């Protein structure tokens, strides 16, 4: 036992030295601001604030009692850290349309409005539009969710309603931006009108979901819209936890974005980790953590580029708001955390929903069968046959899961009544109950199925990054970018 403890202490010491060395590397290579910025990366973790970020660091770190330590993400080691306040013109719990509008154009607006001021008519020209018009920079927009969703749309569209997907798609095609990538176009068809995919082609875009074609893209490819050939829910990229070998990740789309956009004049690339938000809404901690790590992998690609262009590159990483009210700490676990429990979860809530639906279609959806699927995919068990006591369902949890099963079968889960809304938030009763149970056992709690008013951190690296320190309104993010990029 003494030998094991000694080895573990030595491993922790090595980990600490490596982490400190990495941080010194970030600080030592932090470029000066004498040269003008020419390459700008803007990363937005939709629904990502400090709880989501630290949950990812805790999950990847050491969860061994006595050796507790986080493993820093790439962007949490950036030398400049600030904090931005996210309220919009209508609420301290804002939506993605209004907050992304603030981040992109410096305008406050109503929830649900994209690219317009409080009067819902004044257009706020975005940093991407300004750079395209004033400096002829190449512009890229990448997202893990549909490319005409609120956050990516806020960099090229101006509409009263974020639900005007077809009109947003038309503005996407007419933007003249050089690279769109990631998710599909939501509601791309409109009766009597051309498909947005056809409109994009008419406007000179190479439109492709062929993996080999995407991987061969370069700065001679012209204007490109590259989208996933393996969409998951609502045309998005697959959650990291569900992704199969060969599927392109957010990092892949950013890497190809650099290949398409690179030129001596300059480029701006916005990348959204949109499914961090979707997992937050569904209260699925592991799916949330996985896609936060996916965003960090994409940041690593940009950081590698910055090391090659140290006097010309700026990287910003932030969120638009927080989703779900995630907390590290839960009433029933007190001061204890056990994030390793999450490793027993094998799929996202979306994939688990599909399993349940398949059982229903096959006529095999009994509670006993459900418990078998639960054990296979979450490791949870009840009774006398389990082996890991940390994953044993107590009577309260078992009865809670059984009620969710009955509510799912009866249709009571989504009746709109206050109790069902509070319990399930409009999601599959069984899936959300399972993620709550395993999250709570790990020491993670949730307060909402919606957005919250938490401030959001801002991490910055590179030319002019020091201006992002301190605390400020989210509109200041855009205004600081305007000044650094020397646009009106």
């Amino acid at each position: 036992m003494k030998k094991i403890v000694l080895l573990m202490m030595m491993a922790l010491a090595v980990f600490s030295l490596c982490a400190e060395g990495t941080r010194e590397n970030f600080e030592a290579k932090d470029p000066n601001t004498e040269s003008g910025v020419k390459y700008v990366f803007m990363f937005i973790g939709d629904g990502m604030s400090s709880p989501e970020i630290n949950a990812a660091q805790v999950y990847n770190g050491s969860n061994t009692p006595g050796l507790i330590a986080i493993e820093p993400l790439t962007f949490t080691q950036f030398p400049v850290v600030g904090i931005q306040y996210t309220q919009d013109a209508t609420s301290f719990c804002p939506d993605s349309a209004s907050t992304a509008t603030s981040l992109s154009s410096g305008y406050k607006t109503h929830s649900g409005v994209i690219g317009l001021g409080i009067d819902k008519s004044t257009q706020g020209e975005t940093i991407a539009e300004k750079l395209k018009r004033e400096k002829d920079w190449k512009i890229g927009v990448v997202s893990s969710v549909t490319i005409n969703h609120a956050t990516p749309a806020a960099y090229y569209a101006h509409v009263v309603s974020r639900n005007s997907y077809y009109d947003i798609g038309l503005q996407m095609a007419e933007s003249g931006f050089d690279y769109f990538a990631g998710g599909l176009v939501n509601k791309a068809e409109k009766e009597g009108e051309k498909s947005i995919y056809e409109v994009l082609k008419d406007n000179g875009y190479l439109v492709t979901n062929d993996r080999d074609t995407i991987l061969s893209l370069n700065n001679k490819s012209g204007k490109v819209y590259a989208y996933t050939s393996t969409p998951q829910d609502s045309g998005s990229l697959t959650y990291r936890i569900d992704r199969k070998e060969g599927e392109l990740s957010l990092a892949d789309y950013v890497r190809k974005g650099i290949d398409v956009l690179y030129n001596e004049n300059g480029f701006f690339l916005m990348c959204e980790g949109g499914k961090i938000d979707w997992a937050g809404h569904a209260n699925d901690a592991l799916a949330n953590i996985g896609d936060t790590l996916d965003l960090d992998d994409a940041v690593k690609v940009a950081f590698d580029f910055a090391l090659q262009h140290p006097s010309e590159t700026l990287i910003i990483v932030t969120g638009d708001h927080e989703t779900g009210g995630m907390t590290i700490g839960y009433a029933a676990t007190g001061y204890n955390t056990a994030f390793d429990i999450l490793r027993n979860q094998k799929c996202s809530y979306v994939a688990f929903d599909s399993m349940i639906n398949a059982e229903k279609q096959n006529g095999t959806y009994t509670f006993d069968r459900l418990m078998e699927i639960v054990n296979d995919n979450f490791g949870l068990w009840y009774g006398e046959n389990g082996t890991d006591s940390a994953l044993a369902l107590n009577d309260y949890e078992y009865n809670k899961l059984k009620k969710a099963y009955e509510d799912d079968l009866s249709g009571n889960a989504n009746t709109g009544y206050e109790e069902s809304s509070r319990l399930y938030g409009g999601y599959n009763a069984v899936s959300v109950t399972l993620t709550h149970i395993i999250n709570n056992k790990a020491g993670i709690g949730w307060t909402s199925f919606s957005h919250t008013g938490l401030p959001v951190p801002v991490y910055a690296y590179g030319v002019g990054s020091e201006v992002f320190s301190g605390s400020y309104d989210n509109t200041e993010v855009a205004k600081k970018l305007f000044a650094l990029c020397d646009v009106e």
Side-chain angles (χ1 to χ4, degrees):
M1 180 62 69
K2 289 182 179 179
K3 288 183 179 179
I4 293 173
V5 172
L6 181 60
L7 286 171
M8 292 175 73
M9 291 179 68
M10 290 173 64
L12 179 61
V14 171
F15 171 82
S16 300
L17 286 170
C18 290
E20 186 61 32
T22 301
R23 182 167 292 279
E24 288 176 359
N25 181 59
F26 275 78
E27 292 173 350
K29 291 184 180 295
D30 182 29
N32 60 56
T33 60
E34 293 178 2
S35 298
V37 63
K38 193 159 71 172
Y39 306 112
V40 177
F41 294 88
M42 178 82 184
F43 290 93
I44 300 176
D46 198 312
M48 182 185 78
S49 186
S50 297
E52 289 75 17
I53 293 166
N54 205 43
Q57 296 185 130
V58 171
Y59 180 79
N60 263 12
S62 171
N63 285 271
T64 304
L67 299 171
I68 294 294
I70 64 167
E71 181 177 320
L73 303 182
T74 300
F75 63 81
T76 61
Q77 298 174 80
F78 284 1
V80 176
V81 182
I83 193 164
Q84 45 116 338
Y85 301 102
T86 64
Q87 71 276 0
D88 65 15
T90 57
S91 178
F92 282 100
C93 294
D95 88 322
S96 294
S98 60
T99 51
T101 295
S102 293
L103 293 172
S104 65
S105 66
Y107 275 55
K108 284 290 184 188
T109 193
H110 299 253
S111 289
V113 175
I114 293 175
L116 301 173
I118 295 176
D119 60 6
K120 297 185 181 180
S121 61
T122 303
Q123 287 199 10
E125 191 175 27
T126 72
I127 179 63
E129 291 171 324
K130 288 177 184 289
L131 288 168
K132 189 68 175 174
R133 178 176 60 81
E134 296 183 30
K135 292 198 163 186
D136 196 30
W137 278 20
K138 290 193 173 184
I139 307 297
V141 175
V142 177
S143 178
S144 62
V145 299
T146 46
I147 204 68
N148 56 342
H149 209 258
T151 301
Y155 282 81
Y156 62 80
H158 308 270
V159 291
V160 173
S161 172
R162 59 180 290 172
N163 295 322
S164 301
Y165 292 111
Y166 189 83
D167 290 340
I168 292 170
L170 291 177
Q171 293 185 47
M172 169 188 169
E174 295 163 359
S175 67
F177 289 4
D178 303 271
Y179 180 72
F180 291 100
L184 279 61
V185 178
N186 187 26
K187 298 183 180 177
E189 309 295 333
K190 188 174 183 180
E191 188 175 352
E193 302 288 347
K194 278 188 176 182
S195 161
I196 295 299
Y197 296 96
E198 290 301 316
V199 177
L200 282 161
K201 291 176 183 176
D202 290 345
N203 279 270
Y205 284 87
L206 167 65
V207 178
T208 181
N209 67 351
D210 179 73
R211 185 177 184 276
D212 291 339
T213 300
I214 293 171
L215 292 178
S216 67
L217 294 171
N218 56 48
N219 62 358
K220 305 295 184 184
S221 298
K223 295 189 297 184
V224 174
Y225 170 40
Y227 62 99
T228 180
S229 61
T230 55
Q232 197 176 45
D233 50 333
S234 302
S236 64
L237 302 189
T238 306
Y239 276 114
R240 181 188 182 107
I241 188 175
D242 300 325
R243 190 164 59 228
K244 295 179 175 58
E245 186 176 352
E247 291 185 34
L248 297 181
S249 67
L250 205 58
D252 293 320
Y253 286 109
V254 169
R255 187 175 295 107
K256 294 317 300 183
I258 293 171
D259 290 343
V260 171
L261 299 174
Y262 182 73
N263 69 97
E264 290 300 321
N265 193 36
F267 68 70
F268 174 89
L269 176 62
M270 192 288 292
C271 172
E272 180 205 20
K275 295 189 76 169
I276 300 170
D277 173 74
W278 291 11
H281 279 292
N283 292 180
D284 185 340
L286 191 57
N288 186 287
I289 287 168
D291 273 50
T292 300
L293 295 173
D294 241 31
L295 182 69
D296 191 54
D297 285 347
V299 174
K300 288 177 187 175
V301 174
F303 182 67
D304 288 342
F305 178 89
L307 293 181
Q308 298 170 33
H309 304 269
S311 62
E312 302 171 311
T313 306
L314 171 65
I315 306 173
I316 304 160
V317 183
T318 189
D320 51 356
H321 53 72
E322 196 276 341
T323 301
M326 176 192 272
T327 61
I328 299 177
Y330 177 66
T333 55
Y335 292 102
N336 295 318
T337 54
F339 272 47
D340 282 346
I341 285 175
L342 297 176
R343 300 187 190 281
N344 293 278
Q345 183 177 334
K346 305 304 180 189
C347 64
S348 73
Y349 70 99
V350 174
F352 196 80
D353 286 351
S354 297
M355 294 179 197
I356 290 175
N357 290 335
E359 294 294 329
K360 289 178 179 177
Q361 290 174 4
N362 293 335
T364 54
Y365 189 49
T366 65
F367 188 67
D368 287 342
R369 175 58 184 150
L370 173 63
M371 289 302 295
E372 291 176 2
I373 304 171
V374 167
N375 183 253
D376 289 342
N377 292 280
F378 286 81
L380 300 169
W381 59 277
Y382 180 77
E384 301 177 353
N385 297 322
T387 55
D388 187 343
S389 60
L391 295 168
L393 293 171
N394 58 37
D395 290 342
Y396 171 76
E397 293 165 335
Y398 177 80
N399 290 328
K400 188 176 178 181
L401 182 57
K402 192 167 187 179
K403 181 182 187 305
Y405 166 78
E406 292 168 352
D407 285 345
D408 182 37
L409 272 186
S410 66
N412 290 334
N414 295 305
T415 58
Y417 292 127
E418 182 179 349
E419 183 181 5
S420 61
S421 296
R422 183 164 42 81
L423 286 173
Y424 310 127
Y427 291 88
N428 179 281
V430 173
S431 294
V432 78
T433 300
L434 279 170
T435 56
H436 280 169
I437 289 172
I438 198 165
N439 290 178
N440 294 164
K441 284 180 176 294
I444 294 173
W446 299 91
T447 67
S448 176
F449 292 105
S450 301
H451 300 171
T452 71
L454 284 179
V456 172
V458 181
Y459 301 89
Y461 175 90
V463 182
S465 58
E466 67 278 359
V467 305
F468 291 96
S469 65
S471 60
Y472 39 83
D473 189 80
N474 58 3
T475 55
E476 290 299 313
V477 174
K479 294 171 184 176
K480 292 173 191 294
L481 275 174
F482 296 165
L484 285 172
C485 296
D486 192 27
V487 292
E488 295 296 327

